[in-house]
Amino acid sequence: MSRIGKKPIPLPKGVTVKIAADAVEVQGPKGKLRQPIPPGIVFAQEDNTVVARLERDDAGLKKFHGLARSLVANAVTGVTDGFKRELDIVGVGYRAELKGKQVHFALGYSHPILFDIPNGIDVAVDKLTHLVVTGVDRQLVGQVAANMRRLRKPDPYKQKGVRYTGEVLKKKVGKTGA
């Protein structure tokens, strides 16, 4: 049995959980999330915690025990605190602007890149070169940040591009003219 799957999920004040056969709905101060759960995993609410259990002792189910618990724990964290990813844009003339539900990127291409912001995600642009992606769904926040980074990946030679804040790049040395 999974050690992570055995840990109970504490419920902070203001968070309500509805457990269905195929999903767990979590509602809190920041929003509402519906997390589908794999078949064979059962959730039960005890006092101020939620516990994940296996329906039957099967080797095929054990691998989903910790996963299901982590997904529901992320949903609880998302509706209480939310998640955030920060991106930096590095390069001369590289910048981003927020216009409505779109982010306009200037990343050295011959045209501006328009990035549509999905529902449930908020993007803030600071100083034209720093982006903050926030939301309640951890998977969606990470995917949106990865899609923005993919527009112009950091170049290992010139160190230009869109990167996560704090990401350390290994600089490659170019060819010498000797």
Side-chain angles (χ1 to χ4, degrees):
M1 219 187 213
S2 168
R3 283 186 272 180
I4 292 177
K6 288 181 187 178
K7 289 174 64 176
I9 303 166
L11 294 177
K13 287 186 178 181
V15 175
T16 58
V17 174
K18 290 182 185 174
I19 300 169
D22 62 338
V24 175
E25 288 186 15
V26 183
Q27 188 167 2
K30 290 211 177 227
K32 182 178 181 181
L33 279 177
R34 184 175 192 278
Q35 182 60 55
I37 53 176
I41 308 295
V42 179
F43 281 88
Q45 189 169 354
E46 300 171 355
D47 298 329
N48 257 357
T49 61
V50 177
V51 181
R53 293 196 178 95
L54 293 173
E55 211 171 60
R56 59 191 180 280
D57 193 28
D58 184 11
L61 289 180
K62 289 182 182 180
K63 60 186 172 185
F64 293 116
H65 191 204
L67 169 73
R69 186 253 177 224
S70 294
L71 292 175
V72 173
N74 286 340
V76 170
T77 305
V79 297
T80 55
D81 302 330
F83 292 100
K84 118 177 145 171
R85 289 293 274 174
E86 296 184 22
L87 298 160
D88 287 326
I89 302 172
V90 179
V92 176
Y94 290 12
R95 64 186 179 279
E97 294 179 76
L98 188 62
K99 293 184 182 174
K101 287 293 278 178
Q102 282 187 332
V103 180
H104 293 244
F105 286 96
L107 298 174
Y109 297 116
S110 61
H111 58 284
I113 299 168
L114 306 178
F115 187 88
D116 293 322
I117 302 170
N119 293 333
I121 296 293
D122 293 323
V123 176
V125 180
D126 302 332
K127 300 182 258 179
L128 299 176
T129 60
H130 184 76
L131 292 142
V132 180
V133 181
T134 57
V136 293
D137 188 356
R138 182 175 184 166
Q139 294 172 347
L140 188 58
V141 168
Q143 188 61 52
V144 169
N147 290 346
M148 286 181 177
R149 182 181 185 269
R150 194 178 301 140
L151 296 174
R152 177 71 101 174
K153 286 186 179 175
D155 180 27
Y157 295 99
K158 295 182 180 177
Q159 304 283 304
K160 293 169 26 174
V162 181
R163 66 174 80 159
Y164 297 117
T165 300
E167 180 180 8
V168 178
L169 298 175
K170 187 173 181 182
K171 184 167 173 63
K172 289 188 176 182
V173 180
K175 293 182 180 180
T176 58

PDB file of all heavy atoms in Angstrom, residues 29 39 58 75 93 96 135 143 148 155 162 167 176:
ATOM      1  N   PRO A  29     -12.846  29.052  -0.564  1.00  0.00           N
ATOM      2  CA  PRO A  29     -12.952  30.491  -0.770  1.00  0.00           C
ATOM      3  C   PRO A  29     -12.501  30.966  -2.153  1.00  0.00           C
ATOM      4  O   PRO A  29     -12.993  31.974  -2.648  1.00  0.00           O
ATOM      5  CB  PRO A  29     -12.060  31.090   0.323  1.00  0.00           C
ATOM      6  CG  PRO A  29     -11.324  29.980   0.943  1.00  0.00           C
ATOM      7  CD  PRO A  29     -11.973  28.705   0.544  1.00  0.00           C
ATOM      8  N   PRO A  39     -11.047   4.501 -10.928  1.00  0.00           N
ATOM      9  CA  PRO A  39     -11.934   3.477 -10.375  1.00  0.00           C
ATOM     10  C   PRO A  39     -11.165   2.555  -9.428  1.00  0.00           C
ATOM     11  O   PRO A  39     -10.002   2.228  -9.670  1.00  0.00           O
ATOM     12  CB  PRO A  39     -12.447   2.722 -11.603  1.00  0.00           C
ATOM     13  CG  PRO A  39     -11.581   3.128 -12.729  1.00  0.00           C
ATOM     14  CD  PRO A  39     -10.915   4.409 -12.373  1.00  0.00           C
ATOM     15  N   ASP A  58      -5.678  -5.107  -4.665  1.00  0.00           N
ATOM     16  CA  ASP A  58      -5.289  -5.503  -6.024  1.00  0.00           C
ATOM     17  C   ASP A  58      -4.016  -4.734  -6.381  1.00  0.00           C
ATOM     18  O   ASP A  58      -3.913  -3.534  -6.147  1.00  0.00           O
ATOM     19  CB  ASP A  58      -6.426  -5.150  -6.990  1.00  0.00           C
ATOM     20  CG  ASP A  58      -6.158  -5.610  -8.412  1.00  0.00           C
ATOM     21  OD1 ASP A  58      -5.201  -6.378  -8.620  1.00  0.00           O
ATOM     22  OD2 ASP A  58      -6.903  -5.202  -9.320  1.00  0.00           O
ATOM     23  N   ALA A  75      -6.312  19.717  -5.038  1.00  0.00           N
ATOM     24  CA  ALA A  75      -7.568  20.443  -5.203  1.00  0.00           C
ATOM     25  C   ALA A  75      -7.904  21.226  -3.932  1.00  0.00           C
ATOM     26  O   ALA A  75      -8.336  22.379  -3.996  1.00  0.00           O
ATOM     27  CB  ALA A  75      -8.694  19.480  -5.553  1.00  0.00           C
ATOM     28  N   GLY A  93      14.293  43.692 -26.526  1.00  0.00           N
ATOM     29  CA  GLY A  93      13.056  43.862 -27.281  1.00  0.00           C
ATOM     30  C   GLY A  93      11.995  42.820 -26.971  1.00  0.00           C
ATOM     31  O   GLY A  93      10.893  42.912 -27.497  1.00  0.00           O
ATOM     32  N   ALA A  96       5.965  41.351 -23.030  1.00  0.00           N
ATOM     33  CA  ALA A  96       4.595  40.840 -23.057  1.00  0.00           C
ATOM     34  C   ALA A  96       3.657  41.935 -22.571  1.00  0.00           C
ATOM     35  O   ALA A  96       4.008  42.736 -21.711  1.00  0.00           O
ATOM     36  CB  ALA A  96       4.476  39.614 -22.166  1.00  0.00           C
ATOM     37  N   GLY A 135      -3.963  30.450 -10.464  1.00  0.00           N
ATOM     38  CA  GLY A 135      -5.239  29.767 -10.611  1.00  0.00           C
ATOM     39  C   GLY A 135      -5.424  28.742  -9.517  1.00  0.00           C
ATOM     40  O   GLY A 135      -4.542  28.529  -8.677  1.00  0.00           O
ATOM     41  N   GLN A 143       0.388  23.852 -16.991  1.00  0.00           N
ATOM     42  CA  GLN A 143       0.315  23.680 -18.442  1.00  0.00           C
ATOM     43  C   GLN A 143       0.333  25.019 -19.166  1.00  0.00           C
ATOM     44  O   GLN A 143       0.999  25.167 -20.192  1.00  0.00           O
ATOM     45  CB  GLN A 143      -0.945  22.890 -18.818  1.00  0.00           C
ATOM     46  CG  GLN A 143      -0.994  22.493 -20.276  1.00  0.00           C
ATOM     47  CD  GLN A 143       0.158  21.601 -20.677  1.00  0.00           C
ATOM     48  OE1 GLN A 143       0.406  20.586 -20.047  1.00  0.00           O
ATOM     49  NE2 GLN A 143       0.870  21.972 -21.720  1.00  0.00           N
ATOM     50  N   MET A 148       3.394  28.944 -22.424  1.00  0.00           N
ATOM     51  CA  MET A 148       4.008  30.264 -22.627  1.00  0.00           C
ATOM     52  C   MET A 148       5.511  30.137 -22.803  1.00  0.00           C
ATOM     53  O   MET A 148       6.105  30.812 -23.639  1.00  0.00           O
ATOM     54  CB  MET A 148       3.697  31.177 -21.445  1.00  0.00           C
ATOM     55  CG  MET A 148       2.288  31.677 -21.407  1.00  0.00           C
ATOM     56  SD  MET A 148       2.071  32.759 -19.991  1.00  0.00           S
ATOM     57  CE  MET A 148       0.395  33.267 -20.238  1.00  0.00           C
ATOM     58  N   ASP A 155      17.459  29.996 -24.925  1.00  0.00           N
ATOM     59  CA  ASP A 155      18.553  29.600 -25.798  1.00  0.00           C
ATOM     60  C   ASP A 155      19.792  29.311 -24.953  1.00  0.00           C
ATOM     61  O   ASP A 155      20.206  30.164 -24.158  1.00  0.00           O
ATOM     62  CB  ASP A 155      18.830  30.743 -26.781  1.00  0.00           C
ATOM     63  CG  ASP A 155      19.954  30.435 -27.742  1.00  0.00           C
ATOM     64  OD1 ASP A 155      20.195  29.253 -28.024  1.00  0.00           O
ATOM     65  OD2 ASP A 155      20.603  31.396 -28.217  1.00  0.00           O
ATOM     66  N   VAL A 162      11.963  32.769 -22.932  1.00  0.00           N
ATOM     67  CA  VAL A 162      11.026  32.768 -21.808  1.00  0.00           C
ATOM     68  C   VAL A 162      11.431  31.630 -20.879  1.00  0.00           C
ATOM     69  O   VAL A 162      11.548  30.487 -21.302  1.00  0.00           O
ATOM     70  CB  VAL A 162       9.574  32.573 -22.298  1.00  0.00           C
ATOM     71  CG1 VAL A 162       8.616  32.592 -21.123  1.00  0.00           C
ATOM     72  CG2 VAL A 162       9.200  33.638 -23.314  1.00  0.00           C
ATOM     73  N   GLU A 167      14.981  29.642 -12.805  1.00  0.00           N
ATOM     74  CA  GLU A 167      15.529  28.556 -13.626  1.00  0.00           C
ATOM     75  C   GLU A 167      16.975  28.888 -13.998  1.00  0.00           C
ATOM     76  O   GLU A 167      17.266  29.983 -14.473  1.00  0.00           O
ATOM     77  CB  GLU A 167      14.690  28.393 -14.899  1.00  0.00           C
ATOM     78  CG  GLU A 167      15.161  27.299 -15.805  1.00  0.00           C
ATOM     79  CD  GLU A 167      14.299  27.153 -17.062  1.00  0.00           C
ATOM     80  OE1 GLU A 167      13.424  28.002 -17.306  1.00  0.00           O
ATOM     81  OE2 GLU A 167      14.526  26.186 -17.800  1.00  0.00           O
ATOM     82  N   THR A 176      34.859  28.654 -31.482  1.00  0.00           N
ATOM     83  CA  THR A 176      35.911  29.662 -31.486  1.00  0.00           C
ATOM     84  C   THR A 176      36.397  29.830 -32.920  1.00  0.00           C
ATOM     85  O   THR A 176      36.329  28.921 -33.733  1.00  0.00           O
ATOM     86  CB  THR A 176      37.082  29.239 -30.589  1.00  0.00           C
ATOM     87  OG1 THR A 176      37.583  27.976 -31.039  1.00  0.00           O
ATOM     88  CG2 THR A 176      36.627  29.123 -29.136  1.00  0.00           C
TER      89      THR A 176
END
